[in-house]
Amino acid sequence: QVQLVESGGGLVQAGGSLRLSCAASGNIFGSASMGWYRQATGKQRGLVATISPGGSSNYADSVKGRFTISRDKNTVYLQMNSLKPEDTAIYYCKFSEFGTYYWGQGTQVTVSS
């Protein structure tokens, strides 16, 4: 089992910044991909960004140039700059290793206009 603890969500005005963190613990073998997904009200959960064990990253087009994903061992971060109201959603951390994946509990990000 792997446990994920997320933090860093909140309310921010458009143009502001937030930093999300997700710390993984438990049965971890050092080859996990980690990432962030988000789900807005009435919409499906979708990719925000992922990062491989080697540090390669991938972003949704809608956040490129504004969001930066990084990791320090088993903690993944999402630095979100120039936030827009359409970024409002619940953000979920995902941990994937050897074909098994786990989700965090989600953290709310609300961007006011």
Side-chain angles (χ1 to χ4, degrees), residues 2 9-10 12 16-18 24 37-39 49 59 66 70-71 77 79 86 88 90 97 102 108-109 111:
V2 172
V12 65
S17 299
L18 284 173
Y37 293 71
R38 67 187 181 186
Q39 186 168 17
Y59 296 91
R66 300 188 298 121
S70 61
R71 68 188 293 171
Y77 305 94
Q79 178 66 44
E86 51 264 43
T88 295
I90 299 174
E97 190 169 47
Y102 301 88
Q108 177 71 47
V109 171
V111 185

Side-chain angles (χ1 to χ4, degrees), residues 101-112:
Y101 59 91
Y102 301 88
W103 291 99
Q105 79 280 7
T107 185
Q108 177 71 47
V109 171
T110 302
V111 185
S112 63

Side-chain angles (χ1 to χ4, degrees), residues 14-37:
S17 299
L18 284 173
R19 189 189 194 211
L20 306 182
S21 300
C22 174
S25 62
N27 293 334
I28 297 170
F29 299 93
S31 60
S33 293
M34 299 185 74
W36 292 95
Y37 293 71

Side-chain angles (χ1 to χ4, degrees), residues 33-40 43-52 56-64 66-67 69 78 86-87 89-94 96 103:
S33 293
M34 299 185 74
W36 292 95
Y37 293 71
R38 67 187 181 186
Q39 186 168 17
K43 296 187 177 181
Q44 290 188 331
R45 190 175 302 186
L47 169 75
V48 176
T50 61
I51 188 165
S52 72
S56 297
S57 58
N58 179 54
Y59 296 91
D61 288 344
S62 59
V63 306
K64 284 180 181 177
R66 300 188 298 121
F67 291 11
I69 191 169
L78 186 68
E86 51 264 43
D87 294 318
I90 299 174
Y91 284 69
Y92 296 91
C93 173
K94 184 180 181 182
S96 304
W103 291 99

Side-chain angles (χ1 to χ4, degrees), residues 2-5 22-26 28 32 34 73-76 93 95:
V2 172
Q3 295 77 44
L4 301 174
V5 178
C22 174
S25 62
I28 297 170
M34 299 185 74
K73 293 184 180 179
N74 298 317
T75 298
V76 64
C93 173
F95 177 100

